[in-house]
Every structure is written in C-alpha cells, then in structure tokens.
C-alpha cells in the first residue's frame, strides 16, 4: 500500500484534491485487500466423527396412568359461626315483618291440635319453632341479639326444638286420646334425623366410606415399597388413559366398586426421577424416572377390596384432602394438591 501511495503522489496527472481523498480511504482499502488475501486461501475444516448409538443409549421416562378415585360429599357442609348467627337473625327479622299467624286457618277451634298449639306458643312466644323464646311483636322485639353462650343459633339446638315441638301432648277428650295413642296405647314416636357424625367418625375408621360425609374422600393405596399414593400402573402397549384407568380400578380395588371415569383427558401429572436408572432390556431403553398422568373417577357404590389385587398393594385408606398431605411425600403432595377439591 505504501508503494502504491508513493507512485500516485509522484504522478503529475492526479490533482491534489484526489490525492487527499485517496489518502483518507487508504485504511479501508488496506482492510479490503487483507480480506481478499484471506479469502484466497481455502478454509481448513475439522472432521467431526458421528456419535455411534452404542456410545449414547436411548433414555426415556416410564409412562404410567393414575386414578384419582373420589367419593363426593353426601351432606351439606357445616355452617360457620357467622352463617349460623346470620341465618338466625334473618329468621327473627322475618317474624317481625310477617303478618300475624292465622291459627284458625290451620287448627280448628277447641280441637286437640288447637289446644296443643296454644300451649306451645305460650312457651316460645312466636309461631316460629326454631328461633328460641322470642316475641317479635313486643316492645323488645328489636333486641334480638343472642347473649354470650346462647346456643339458639346452633343446628343441634334448633333440631331439638323442632323435635320437641313435633310431640303431641294434648289430652282431655276422646279424639285427643285417639290421636295420641297408636297401637295399644303407645305414643307415636317422633322420627329423629340421622346424625352428621357417624360411627366411623367416632372410631376413626379411615377405610370406611361412611366417614366425613360433608367432605370429598379420595382412595389412597400403599404399594409394595410402603409408599402411599393414588392407584397407578404402567401403560400397556397403545392403551389410552381412559381404558387404563378403568383397568387399574379393577386391578387395584376389585370388581365390587361401581365407578365412573370422568372424561378422556388427565387432570394432572406427577414426575419423579429414579435414584438409579432402570434398564428395560426388552425395549433397549434406559428409564430415568416415571411420569404419572392422573384420570378423575367417582365411586357410586361398593367398597375397595385388596384381597386379589394385581398391583401388589398392601393397604388402602379413604382420606380428605388435608389428611392426604400427612402420609404422602412432600414432592408428591406438591404435584397432586391442586387436583383435589377443598371440600
């Protein structure tokens, strides 16, 4: 480049302005010449040999289908203290705003039913039978707050009030005695409602479906390693999840359960790596862990029986959501907790 510049500067046919312009561009021209010289030599390539299959064996995860089998709530949930107080307030407010009760529309005058009605309303002061001793038409009718410790708003107290009101105690004439007596002079017994707490609740029987009637219960099983989990098994061939769930229910809990698998799409999944990879010699695959896809199912009748199960299960329990957290691993719980209903 220096030789070219010296020859150009000694040429009288090139004006001074052109020489200035060429001098400003000489650095770019030198770079272009250097690039051209580099491109003139062929690039050297490095040969990378292909990786053989023997050097990197095939790896995969074990695909499994799981079943979240549940029993839905059988009764309404328990009311909160605020709800109990609010509902009692609404019933007392309705008594204040309603029209006076027309007794003779329902009870004929001077009949045993009328006599029984007059006796009972003198005690409770209001036609309503489950709001305690309260007179909505008196000067103190607006003072309807309960004192501390008053159990009038409790469901058990209201049930007892309704049962007591259902008893017929009017006597005094032949018709009243005939109404009061049923078969051999015995009083007609008032049928009591079934309790919300069952015998299984009192005994703590976690295998029974007759416990926690206001909650959703889920079937948990213990596998041969002692781990608690939902029933699951490997997919067989090209088996779809819905059919696999139906098969797992029968193989795990027997044929005495009337169940229904909801839908064809899983409601969640769980992934767990193995401590040491497992080699499947039949498929030539090294399994790094398991991935379980859970299907939702409901039990309509029957009970689980592990006597002839084909999945090597040793025990089962019907548990509510918060009870499941205490027996499964933290990793398992973090993956399945959002699939479970709070109630």
């Amino acid at each position: 480049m220096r030789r070219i510049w010296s020859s150009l500067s000694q040429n009288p046919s090139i004006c001074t302005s052109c020489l200035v312009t060429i001098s400003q561009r000489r650095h770019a021209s030198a770079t272009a010449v250097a690039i051209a010289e580099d491109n003139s030599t062929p690039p050297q390539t490095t040969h990378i040999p292909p990786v053989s299959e023997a050097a990197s064996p095939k790896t995969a995860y074990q695909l499994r289908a799981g079943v979240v089998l549940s029993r839905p709530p059988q009764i309404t949930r328990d009311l909160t203290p605020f709800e109990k107080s609010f509902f009692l307030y609404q019933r007392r407010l309705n008594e204040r705003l309603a029209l006076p009760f027309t007794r003779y529309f329902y009870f004929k005058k001077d009949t045993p039913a009328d006599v029984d009605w007059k006796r009972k309303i003198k005690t409770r002061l209001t036609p309503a039978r489950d709001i305690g001793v309260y007179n909505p038409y008196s000067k103190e009718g607006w003072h309807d707050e309960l004192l501390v410790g008053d159990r009038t708003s409790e469901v058990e107290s209201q049930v007892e009030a309704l049962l007591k009101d259902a008893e017929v105690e009017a006597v005094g004439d032949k018709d009243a005695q005939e109404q009061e007596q049923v078969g051999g002079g015995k009083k007609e017994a008032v049928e009591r409602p079934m309790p919300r707490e069952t015998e299984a609740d009192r005994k703590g029987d976690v295998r029974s479906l007759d416990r926690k009637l206001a909650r959703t219960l889920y079937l948990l099983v213990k596998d041969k390693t002692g781990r608690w989990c939902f029933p699951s098994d490997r997919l067989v061939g090209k088996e779809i999840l819905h059919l696999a769930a139906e098969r797992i229910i029968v193989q795990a809990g027997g044929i005495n359960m009337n169940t229904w698998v909801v839908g064809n799409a899983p409601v969640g999944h769980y992934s767990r790596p193995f401590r040491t990879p497992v080699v499947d010699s039949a498929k030539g695959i090294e399994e790094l862990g398991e991935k379980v896809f859970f299907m939702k199912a409901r039990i309509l009748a029957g009970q689980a029986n592990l006597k002839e199960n084909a999945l090597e299960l040793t025990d089962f329990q019907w548990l509510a959501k918060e009870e499941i957290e205490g027996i499964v691993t933290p990793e398992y719980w973090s993956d399945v907790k959002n699939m479970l209903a709070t109630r």
Side-chain angles (χ1 to χ4, degrees):
M1 290 300 295
R2 290 179 180 178
R3 291 195 299 269
I4 296 173
W5 170 252
S6 62
S7 62
L8 289 175
S9 61
Q10 295 175 2
N11 192 343
S13 62
I14 300 177
C15 64
T16 305
S17 62
C18 292
L19 287 174
V20 174
T21 303
I22 293 173
S23 65
Q24 293 176 353
R25 297 181 179 178
R26 68 177 185 271
H27 299 293
S29 301
T31 305
V33 172
I35 294 174
E37 291 177 354
D38 292 341
N39 291 337
S40 62
T41 60
Q44 296 180 356
T45 59
T46 304
H47 176 68
I48 301 176
V51 180
S52 61
E53 294 183 358
S56 59
K58 294 181 180 180
T59 59
Y61 270 74
Q62 183 183 119
L63 296 181
R64 302 174 67 90
V67 183
V68 182
L69 183 61
S70 63
R71 185 222 66 187
Q74 306 297 299
I75 58 177
T76 57
R77 66 173 176 84
D78 296 331
L79 300 179
T80 64
F82 172 79
E83 290 173 335
K84 295 175 184 178
S85 301
F86 181 77
F87 292 156
L88 178 65
Y89 165 75
Q90 288 291 324
R91 288 196 294 270
R92 287 189 169 182
L93 176 63
N94 181 71
E95 288 299 308
R96 291 200 301 268
L97 302 179
L99 295 176
F101 181 75
T102 56
R103 183 173 87 249
Y104 295 127
F105 179 82
Y106 298 95
F107 308 110
K108 188 176 180 181
K109 189 175 182 180
D110 297 332
T111 60
D114 183 46
V115 174
D116 186 68
W117 164 263
K118 290 188 292 185
R119 179 185 61 80
K120 292 176 179 178
I121 201 171
K122 286 181 180 179
T123 303
R124 60 174 183 256
L125 304 179
T126 179
R129 300 169 295 172
D130 57 347
I131 63 174
V133 179
Y134 173 70
N135 187 357
Y137 304 115
S138 66
K139 295 181 180 180
E140 303 295 328
W142 294 96
H143 298 172
D144 55 358
E145 295 85 358
L146 297 180
L147 299 178
V148 176
D150 195 332
R151 295 183 53 84
T152 304
S153 61
E154 297 294 330
V155 176
E156 296 80 6
S157 176
Q158 295 170 1
V159 170
E160 293 299 326
L162 293 173
L163 292 174
K164 184 178 180 181
D165 186 82
E167 297 175 354
V168 178
E169 299 182 6
V171 293
D173 56 15
K174 182 178 180 181
D175 294 336
Q177 294 177 2
E178 291 178 355
Q179 180 179 356
E180 182 179 282
Q181 296 176 354
V182 177
K186 294 182 179 180
K187 281 188 177 182
E188 182 178 358
V190 178
E191 185 177 357
R192 301 183 64 88
M194 296 294 293
R196 297 178 65 88
E197 184 183 25
T198 64
E199 184 178 358
D201 290 322
R202 293 188 291 269
K203 293 182 177 180
D205 186 4
V206 293
R207 290 189 176 185
S208 175
L209 280 168
D210 294 330
R211 62 185 296 265
K212 291 188 177 295
L213 299 181
R215 301 292 306 280
T216 299
L217 298 182
Y218 299 93
L219 177 64
L220 272 290
V221 295
K222 181 189 287 187
D223 59 15
K224 59 182 179 181
T225 64
R227 184 183 62 163
W228 285 97
C229 58
F230 294 112
S232 66
D233 191 23
R234 299 188 61 162
L235 293 175
V236 179
K238 296 183 179 180
E239 189 177 38
I240 63 175
L241 291 175
H242 187 96
L243 296 179
E246 293 180 342
R247 172 180 60 83
I248 292 169
I249 291 175
V250 175
Q251 292 181 347
I255 61 175
N256 293 325
M257 291 191 298
N258 183 6
T259 59
W260 170 45
V261 178
V262 183
N264 295 312
V267 294
H269 80 284
Y270 165 69
S271 179
R272 179 177 71 96
F274 295 148
R275 292 183 178 178
T276 56
V278 178
V279 178
D280 189 344
S281 57
K283 298 181 180 179
I285 297 176
E286 186 181 37
E287 296 177 342
L288 303 179
E290 65 177 3
K291 290 186 177 181
V292 187
F293 295 88
F294 295 102
M295 298 294 291
K296 181 180 179 180
R298 294 288 184 126
I299 181 172
L300 307 178
Q303 176 60 290
N305 186 1
L306 305 184
K307 184 177 181 181
E308 299 179 357
N309 79 90
L311 303 180
E312 300 183 14
L313 305 177
T314 60
D315 198 2
F316 74 94
Q317 295 181 9
W318 290 98
L319 303 177
K321 181 177 180 178
E322 67 276 3
E323 296 174 327
I324 296 175
E325 183 180 4
I327 66 171
V328 300
T329 62
E331 296 80 11
Y332 194 84
W333 171 250
S334 64
D335 285 353
V336 305
K337 62 181 180 180
N338 292 330
M339 301 186 304
L340 312 178
T342 303
R343 178 177 171 248

